[in-house]
Amino acid sequence: MKLIPPGLIVAVLLVLVVSQLCFAFLPYRRRAYVPALLMTALGFALGQLWDFLGLPSLRLGQANLLPALVFALLLQPLARFVPRPSREPKEPAENPKVN
């Protein structure tokens, strides 16, 4: 446990909480949870980049909070463009019948 920085644990928990809140409360119809989770994680990564560049931010421990939340919310409309596997089953290959 000493190898995992506490800021990483806080950031992962914040990504999970914010993605659930975005999925539940933002008014986008017919979307899956995984794209919302990916856009939230990308928003938090951009927030960490913001902090790495030394721009002003609000921090929660080692995790950057305010720019990460803003980026996560701004990226949510792009979740519909995240490719997802189709739900339709693939057609089996045509094999000649063996008697």
Side-chain angles (χ1 to χ4, degrees):
M1 279 307 276
K2 292 180 182 181
L3 298 176
I4 302 173
L8 182 63
I9 296 171
V10 170
V12 168
L13 291 175
L14 284 173
V15 165
L16 292 174
V17 168
V18 171
S19 66
Q20 285 289 327
L21 291 173
C22 289
F23 183 74
F25 293 116
L26 292 180
Y28 300 112
R29 295 185 306 175
R30 295 179 54 184
R31 61 180 187 152
Y33 173 68
V34 173
L37 177 65
L38 289 175
M39 290 296 115
T40 305
L42 181 61
F44 271 78
L46 288 173
Q48 291 303 106
L49 177 66
W50 179 282
D51 186 42
F52 178 74
L53 293 175
L55 299 170
S57 63
L58 176 66
R59 308 184 85 185
L60 180 64
Q62 292 178 345
N64 190 3
L65 188 62
L66 189 58
L69 287 174
V70 171
F71 283 127
L73 288 174
L74 289 175
L75 289 173
Q76 289 304 312
L78 298 177
R80 66 184 181 147
F81 297 113
V82 173
R84 295 179 294 181
S86 64
R87 291 184 177 190
E88 300 172 3
K90 293 182 180 179
E91 295 286 332
E94 300 264 345
N95 291 333
K97 293 184 180 181
V98 178
N99 289 341

